[in-house]
Amino acid sequence: MTSPLFPVILAGGKGERFWPLSRSGRPKQFLSLDGSSRSLLQATADRLLEIAGGWDCVFVVTSSQLAEGVRQQLPELPSQNLLIESEGRDTAAAVAWTSLEIKQRYGEDAVIGFFPADHWIADQNVFAQTLGAATELAASTEAIVTLGIKPTFPSTGYGYIEQGEKLGDFSELPAYHVNRFTEKPNRETAEAFLSTGRFSWNSGMFIFRAGVVLKELYTHAPEIIEPLAQKGPGVYPELPKKSVDYALMEKTTLAYVLPVSFGWDDLGDWNAIERLLKTEETPNVELATHVGLDTQGTIIYASDPEDVVVTIGLEDVVIVRDRHVTLVVKKDRTQEIKQILKILKSDPQFTHLL
């Protein structure tokens, strides 16, 4: 019998690269970006709920600023399963705190999975099969399992995982020891990675037993786990701000990867909308009332259905209209939205737009 999985949704992010639609009080994970009626957070909970066997086994980690929004979006979530960070300290602290909590309630053999709230998954059945395999591996082996997405193009925006020696098959899926993690490479390096057939995209999804990850955190990130274990979450503001990749995954010898394909996107910026919704029949992605002349390869979004966006002669541009703000940016420069937000933050007349 497969061990139960306790899914943890990481929902504390700001989603700044989806500004102006994503704002401080209404970040990306509270939005529906795929044309459905469900927000990214709700869609993530939907696909994990059946795997978990009910709400009692689902956890969410978020910030104090977003906690009420999470409660409104997920009213069935038990209040004791909503872990509220007083201050965001990146994913290593979130993993450490939640693992301590779940170990205390369910024991060190409890299998935990961590899932960002802003992922899009195409095939729920394959996703569920994959989590079954990852849970089987984590329950039977001292392993920190990561899901590696089989790359479809040489992305320079994702981290990569190199698979090493094969461990075995779990629920008919092969598992490999991780040779190394590589942060976002240049295009030439990414193309070289793909040519080997040994690299996967780092999905940021991890599965492990509570006792295994806590032991590894004590070894590789004592500056995070020791204060939390001794003093509890009240120590959060004093913790270093580190990602779980940097604090743990790049250092542990217990990392294993399942290279999988279930249709995935991390919805990092506005270009992800094009990857999800673009069809060969349409020149643009239009989530607005749009009247255009000689406009193609453009993403157009307006939150007010009464707003009309008119374009002439545009190509490869993103146009977003939301609550008194209009953003126009070349598609290859959407990563720079964060720089604009720093400029707005420095001027009191614009801070209400953040």
Side-chain angles (χ1 to χ4, degrees), residues 241-258:
K241 192 173 184 179
K242 293 183 179 180
S243 71
V244 70
D245 292 273
Y246 177 76
L248 178 61
M249 297 306 296
E250 294 177 5
K251 300 172 182 176
T252 182
T253 60
L254 302 182
Y256 293 86
V257 59
L258 289 173

Side-chain angles (χ1 to χ4, degrees), residues 55-275:
W55 283 105
D56 287 344
C57 295
V58 177
F59 289 74
V60 177
V61 185
T62 193
S63 67
S64 55
Q65 294 91 342
L66 303 179
E68 185 54 38
V70 172
R71 292 189 187 101
Q72 292 175 7
Q73 293 228 333
L74 304 177
E76 304 92 343
L77 181 73
S79 58
Q80 68 271 22
N81 290 9
L82 178 60
L83 304 187
I84 303 170
E85 298 175 309
S86 58
E87 187 173 320
R89 307 311 292 161
D90 215 324
T91 52
V95 167
W97 180 27
T98 312
S99 298
L100 285 168
E101 286 286 330
I102 292 177
K103 179 193 173 185
Q104 182 179 13
R105 298 187 205 180
Y106 300 102
E108 63 179 15
D109 288 332
V111 180
I112 311 169
F114 282 84
F115 305 91
D118 57 356
H119 286 182
W120 173 83
I121 304 292
D123 192 323
Q124 170 67 22
N125 291 332
V126 177
F127 179 70
Q129 178 194 1
T130 300
L131 291 189
T135 301
E136 180 186 342
L137 171 54
S140 62
T141 309
E142 281 210 339
I144 298 178
V145 186
T146 182
L147 303 187
I149 308 299
K150 293 178 181 177
T152 55
F153 64 96
S155 171
T156 58
Y158 297 142
Y160 285 75
I161 304 168
E162 183 182 18
Q163 65 194 44
E165 184 179 354
K166 183 177 178 180
L167 175 66
D169 293 309
F170 298 83
S171 297
E172 302 181 1
L173 290 177
Y176 301 87
H177 194 269
V178 171
N179 269 359
R180 60 169 165 153
F181 290 85
T182 302
E183 275 306 300
K184 303 171 183 178
N186 60 35
R187 186 170 183 84
E188 183 180 359
T189 303
E191 289 173 347
F193 284 174
L194 263 64
S195 69
T196 68
R198 297 195 309 271
F199 285 82
S200 303
W201 288 334
N202 184 0
S203 72
M205 293 182 272
F206 305 99
I207 298 93
F208 40 67
R209 274 181 282 151
V212 172
V213 77
L214 290 172
K215 184 177 72 172
E216 288 298 279
L217 284 167
Y218 274 108
T219 300
H220 300 292
E223 71 281 7
I224 294 173
I225 190 65
E226 289 179 1
L228 278 169
Q230 294 166 9
K231 301 178 184 179
V235 77
Y236 238 80
E238 303 170 26
L239 298 177
K241 192 173 184 179
K242 293 183 179 180
S243 71
V244 70
D245 292 273
Y246 177 76
L248 178 61
M249 297 306 296
E250 294 177 5
K251 300 172 182 176
T252 182
T253 60
L254 302 182
Y256 293 86
V257 59
L258 289 173
V260 297
S261 296
F262 39 61
W264 170 89
D265 203 300
D266 77 340
L267 302 182
D269 63 21
W270 282 104
N271 290 313
I273 300 299
E274 184 173 62
R275 293 194 295 270

